[in-house]
Amino acid sequence: MLPENKQYIDVRSPKEFEEYSLPGAINIPIFDDEERALVGTVYKQQGKEKAMDLGLEILSPKLPSMYRLMRDISEGEQEVEVYCWRGGMRSGSFVSFMNMMGISCTRLPGGIRSFRKEMEKTFQNEKK
């Protein structure tokens, strides 16, 4: 059902990845589980701007190793598609940075949430 010519990169936290991920996806988490919870709490309590500031602080030291890993992955013949939960801040910022650094990758529109909903519809239609 998934295209064979794509390598999926999941930038969600390890716990999110463990709960559900696309077959064959590689987890390159922007935040670990505790960092994700902290950023989410700051977002709810102090707003988007404060959460973005914190997210940037947490992510910045990780960018060189993420870049090297993505560079190695992108050397293959598969297209690289990145996703998070809804296709928002995490995957969008990750894809923007990688593209800026010369690594070709795209974002899965709507994230894994939309993908799951489409698969559920497909399976429901096949049962009819």
Side-chain angles (χ1 to χ4, degrees), residues 34-57:
E34 294 79 23
E35 292 165 343
R36 177 181 171 263
L38 179 60
V39 170
T41 300
V42 168
Y43 184 91
K44 287 179 184 176
Q45 294 176 352
Q46 299 177 37
K48 183 177 179 178
E49 189 172 321
K50 292 283 186 187
M52 287 174 44
D53 288 346
L54 176 60
L56 184 58
E57 245 179 78

Side-chain angles (χ1 to χ4, degrees), residues 71-117:
R71 183 184 58 206
D72 293 345
I73 291 168
S74 69
E75 287 178 354
E77 296 193 14
Q78 294 180 313
E79 295 177 34
V80 178
E81 192 158 51
V82 179
Y83 67 89
C84 61
W85 179 239
R86 290 187 307 254
M89 288 291 293
R90 290 183 285 178
S91 61
S93 58
F94 189 88
V95 166
S96 293
F97 175 76
M98 292 303 163
N99 285 320
M100 181 181 70
M101 296 299 292
I103 294 175
S104 178
C105 58
T106 59
R107 182 170 56 150
L108 180 65
I112 198 168
R113 181 178 178 203
S114 292
F115 185 87
R116 273 182 80 162
K117 285 181 180 184

Side-chain angles (χ1 to χ4, degrees), residues 1 9 12 24 26 62 70 72 83 98 105 107 111 125:
M1 203 153 282
I9 305 297
R12 298 173 305 143
I26 297 171
K62 300 176 185 182
M70 283 293 289
D72 293 345
Y83 67 89
M98 292 303 163
C105 58
R107 182 170 56 150
N125 289 338

Side-chain angles (χ1 to χ4, degrees), residues 10-66:
D10 186 325
V11 295
R12 298 173 305 143
S13 71
K15 184 177 178 185
E16 290 173 294
F17 182 78
E18 185 179 302
E19 288 172 0
Y20 178 79
S21 61
L22 296 179
I26 297 171
N27 188 216
I28 303 177
I30 287 180
F31 304 126
D32 65 26
D33 298 322
E34 294 79 23
E35 292 165 343
R36 177 181 171 263
L38 179 60
V39 170
T41 300
V42 168
Y43 184 91
K44 287 179 184 176
Q45 294 176 352
Q46 299 177 37
K48 183 177 179 178
E49 189 172 321
K50 292 283 186 187
M52 287 174 44
D53 288 346
L54 176 60
L56 184 58
E57 245 179 78
I58 293 169
L59 176 61
S60 294
K62 300 176 185 182
L63 287 174
S65 62
M66 290 176 162

